[in-house]
Amino acid sequence: MSRIGKKVINVPAKTKVEVKGQTITATGALGTLSYTCPADVTINFKDNVLSFAIPEGKEKELNAIHGTTRANVFNIVEGVTNGFTKVLEINGLGYRASVAGTKLNLELGFSHPVNMDIPQGLTVTVDGKSGAVSIKGSDKFLVGDFAAKIRRIRPPEPYKGSGIKYQGEHIVRKAGKTAAGGK
């Protein structure tokens, strides 16, 4: 059996969870999210505790889906309760970001600014001093996906370290030609 799948999910008092068939709907302070579980996974919800089980004899085939189901349901409960945040740091001469309505405007050394539509359900803010872009939302996949799309525009390069990186991400730096002993 999956070790992650065996863990129970304690639902906070502020969050309401509803189970209808194989669909779990969580409603909290930050909105409503739902997840449809696979047919082979049994859902048990009692006294604000969610647990999942798979039929005996099928552990080998269903082990991965057992843990994945539990992790996805935990993420929707956590999302509507506390939400998720990703912070991106923009490093580089003249690199900056700004938010105008539902668009994120990025100036990243290209001949043109890059404008991105902010997906529904996400809040994007830009810190005035550091220029860090903060992405907040209740859907973990949507927050991570939008952050990855922004980072993909100008990933950090290894020589100067300029580009967009996640907060706390370590970029392996390379020595330039002069430091490497070139003539």
Side-chain angles (χ1 to χ4, degrees):
M1 260 187 134
S2 168
R3 283 185 279 175
I4 302 244
K6 285 192 280 187
K7 288 184 176 181
V8 297
I9 299 172
N10 294 314
V11 179
K14 300 175 187 173
T15 306
K16 181 184 168 215
V17 172
E18 190 176 313
V19 179
K20 284 187 180 176
Q22 290 299 103
T23 303
I24 297 173
T25 305
T27 306
L30 299 177
T32 302
L33 292 173
S34 63
Y35 179 76
T36 303
C37 297
D40 293 329
V41 177
T42 307
I43 306 163
N44 303 317
F45 182 58
K46 187 177 182 183
D47 299 329
N48 279 349
V49 175
L50 265 169
S51 62
F52 302 93
I54 53 176
E56 295 212 12
K58 288 191 169 186
E59 286 92 358
K60 200 166 194 171
E61 304 91 46
L62 299 176
N63 203 19
I65 201 71
H66 186 210
T68 302
T69 301
R70 189 259 178 211
N72 287 335
V73 173
F74 177 78
N75 286 338
I76 68 164
V77 171
E78 184 70 20
V80 298
T81 306
N82 300 324
F84 295 99
T85 303
K86 286 271 188 188
V87 179
L88 298 167
E89 296 174 355
I90 300 176
N91 299 317
L93 189 63
Y95 290 11
R96 65 180 125 268
S98 63
V99 176
T102 61
K103 290 212 181 273
L104 175 65
N105 304 319
L106 300 165
E107 295 176 26
L108 301 170
F110 297 122
S111 61
H112 59 311
V114 178
N115 297 321
M116 298 183 72
D117 291 324
I118 299 171
Q120 193 74 25
L122 292 184
T123 305
V124 178
T125 57
V126 178
D127 184 24
K129 287 186 177 180
S130 66
V133 178
S134 179
I135 304 163
K136 296 177 184 172
S138 59
D139 189 349
K140 187 174 187 177
F141 174 78
L142 196 60
V143 170
D145 186 51
F146 189 61
K149 285 179 182 174
I150 294 171
R151 186 184 184 278
R152 204 174 303 132
I153 295 169
R154 180 72 83 167
E157 55 98 17
Y159 295 102
K160 293 181 181 174
S162 61
I164 302 172
K165 67 175 190 147
Y166 296 111
Q167 187 178 42
E169 179 183 10
H170 176 70
I171 304 300
V172 177
R173 301 289 296 267
K174 291 183 178 178
K177 290 181 185 178
T178 56
K183 295 182 179 181

